[in-house]
Amino acid sequence: MRTEYVTITEDRPDEKAIRRAGRILKEGGLVAFPTETVYGLGGDALNPSSSRKIYEAKGRPSDNPLIVHVCRLEDIPPIISREPRGWRELAEAFWPGPLTMIFPKSEIVPKETTGGLDTVAIRFPSHKVAMALIDAAGGYIAAPSANRSGRPSPTMAKFCREDLDGLIDMIIDGGQVGIGLESTIIDLTSDEPTILRPGYITQEMLEKVLEHVEVDTAILSDDSKTPPKAPGMKYRHYAPKGDLSIVEGDQEGVVSYINSQLSALREKGVRTGVICTDETAPLYAADTVKSAGKRSDEEGIARELFRILREFDDEGTEVMFSESFSGSGVGMAIMNRLMKAAGQKIIRL
Ligand code: AMP
Ligand code: MG
């Protein structure tokens, strides 16, 4: 298949191109498109054959459900079977935006889209190109991240091209995304609202709206025996091709530990890399040192993380070390993704 490329940015919405992309989706094709979190790989959410194609293009296990994207609150009642407590308040506070809510699904949502579950994950993105495309496609786009399964989520269109060129109908280039990590997922079908995947919308922010929000304990644990409640969180993910370990401790200790490892590896001729922040970048002696930005700017770090992981792949880096991050606020989402990328390997000094 030949993949068509178009550039449609938020400030220059090309309506003709959006209509063409909408038509591809309505006819059962696949389009990668920008959202405020990461690029999504879209198909018609109500068409089982589109969802099957998404799994195939991504090489994704079919028990890993897709998120349904909408662009109007009125479009939600038809795809859910019951209104869980709190959803309207959360929608009011965070939609359009990077929050996904899990609802009981109605009959019209095919099991192919929900990975066989009776629940459906729904998000109302704030990116203008995404909103226009959802509208043009008829209101419901199923979209996981637009990467081959297991690779870091794409934060730029060129990464969608790397993974999906020739496998899907169209890629819309809308520039670099704003957030860089996938949406926060909150389950509203359990007894207590529970965060299944941390993201830009933090537990503290959610608790300003719903008194109490649980966090699925599998999210940050390095005990892989606890199965996470979001099926997708159990897969090794975001994985760079080389070997990544996280090192946690005080700054001086971390720098000296990583440097001692690097010098041993260099003697063996292994290609090394470090993920760190501006404060420590000059202190490391790796083949490639990548700063994700200022340590105090966790939103900036979130935006750069997946790009950095992909660059290490392109550069053929064999062994990488990453500094660790705060673990609260957006830092919780950063650490969750890093831990998955590292296959849970963390060295605590
Ligand atoms: P991605 O689309 O790549 O951001 O992945 C979607 C994430 O949402 C995966 O981790 C899924 O397991 C999770 N998800 C989607 N639908 C549901 C659902 N009905 N219940 C729980 N988790 C879900
Ligand atoms: Mg994904």
Side-chain angles (χ1 to χ4, degrees), residues 48-327:
S49 123
S50 299
S51 294
R52 277 194 295 268
K53 281 191 200 164
I54 292 176
Y55 288 111
E56 206 178 312
K58 277 185 66 97
R60 175 169 171 138
S62 60
D63 67 345
N64 185 1
L66 310 175
I67 294 172
V68 177
H69 293 68
V70 299
C71 61
R72 284 176 291 264
L73 289 188
E74 313 85 91
D75 291 341
I76 291 186
I79 58 170
I80 66 177
S81 61
R82 177 175 61 78
E83 297 205 19
R85 212 155 35 95
W87 89 267
R88 286 194 182 270
E89 291 78 2
L90 289 175
E92 169 81 15
F94 302 112
W95 277 357
L99 179 69
T100 296
M101 299 187 222
I102 311 282
F103 295 81
K105 81 171 193 72
S106 76
E107 288 296 309
I108 67 165
V109 184
K111 287 261 171 128
E112 281 80 357
T113 300
T114 64
L117 298 176
D118 293 323
T119 51
V120 57
I122 306 178
R123 182 163 106 79
F124 184 160
S126 65
H127 197 288
K128 290 201 180 71
V129 176
M131 281 200 244
L133 182 66
I134 297 164
D135 187 33
Y140 303 102
I141 297 185
S145 49
N147 50 280
R148 289 280 294 171
S149 196
R151 298 213 70 204
S153 299
T155 52
M156 295 190 231
K158 67 172 182 185
F159 298 139
C160 303
R161 180 196 287 253
E162 247 175 49
D163 282 17
L164 298 171
D165 185 56
L167 298 175
I168 63 176
D169 299 279
M170 183 187 263
I171 294 178
I172 299 177
D173 187 344
Q176 182 173 6
V177 299
I179 293 179
L181 297 179
E182 307 86 344
S183 58
T184 305
I185 302 181
I186 185 166
D187 185 2
L188 299 179
T189 67
S190 45
D191 294 341
E192 290 285 349
T194 306
I195 295 175
L196 305 187
R197 176 172 74 185
Y200 181 84
I201 307 284
T202 62
Q203 182 179 18
E204 295 86 323
M205 290 158 79
L206 292 164
E207 285 188 333
K208 290 208 173 105
V209 179
L210 304 180
E211 221 150 87
H212 180 65
V213 174
E214 303 267 331
V215 179
D216 183 7
T217 48
I219 282 178
L220 284 178
S221 86
D222 33 12
D223 162 18
S224 54
K225 288 190 282 296
T226 324
K229 296 202 180 83
M233 298 297 276
K234 72 172 178 269
Y235 295 105
R236 187 168 144 94
H237 230 136
Y238 321 120
K241 290 174 189 148
D243 179 72
L244 171 67
S245 308
I246 304 167
V247 184
E248 187 179 273
D250 63 66
Q251 181 176 308
E252 212 175 308
V254 169
V255 172
S256 94
Y257 175 85
I258 292 179
N259 275 331
S260 72
Q261 298 292 311
L262 292 171
S263 75
L265 289 161
R266 205 172 32 243
E267 270 170 33
K268 291 190 214 145
V270 174
R271 202 176 157 77
T272 57
V274 171
I275 304 173
C276 59
T277 57
D278 290 353
E279 292 79 357
T280 49
L283 306 177
Y284 290 108
D287 292 316
T288 323
V289 178
K290 292 183 191 287
S291 169
K294 280 210 190 65
R295 177 157 284 275
S296 57
D297 176 17
E298 293 204 315
E299 293 182 7
I301 293 168
R303 196 157 47 235
E304 303 306 328
L305 182 64
F306 287 147
R307 174 185 60 78
I308 288 177
L309 291 174
R310 278 185 180 259
E311 282 175 4
F312 276 131
D313 278 357
D314 297 341
E315 292 157 9
T317 307
E318 295 162 286
V319 178
M320 287 149 286
F321 295 94
S322 175
E323 295 181 350
S324 77
F325 297 91
S326 75

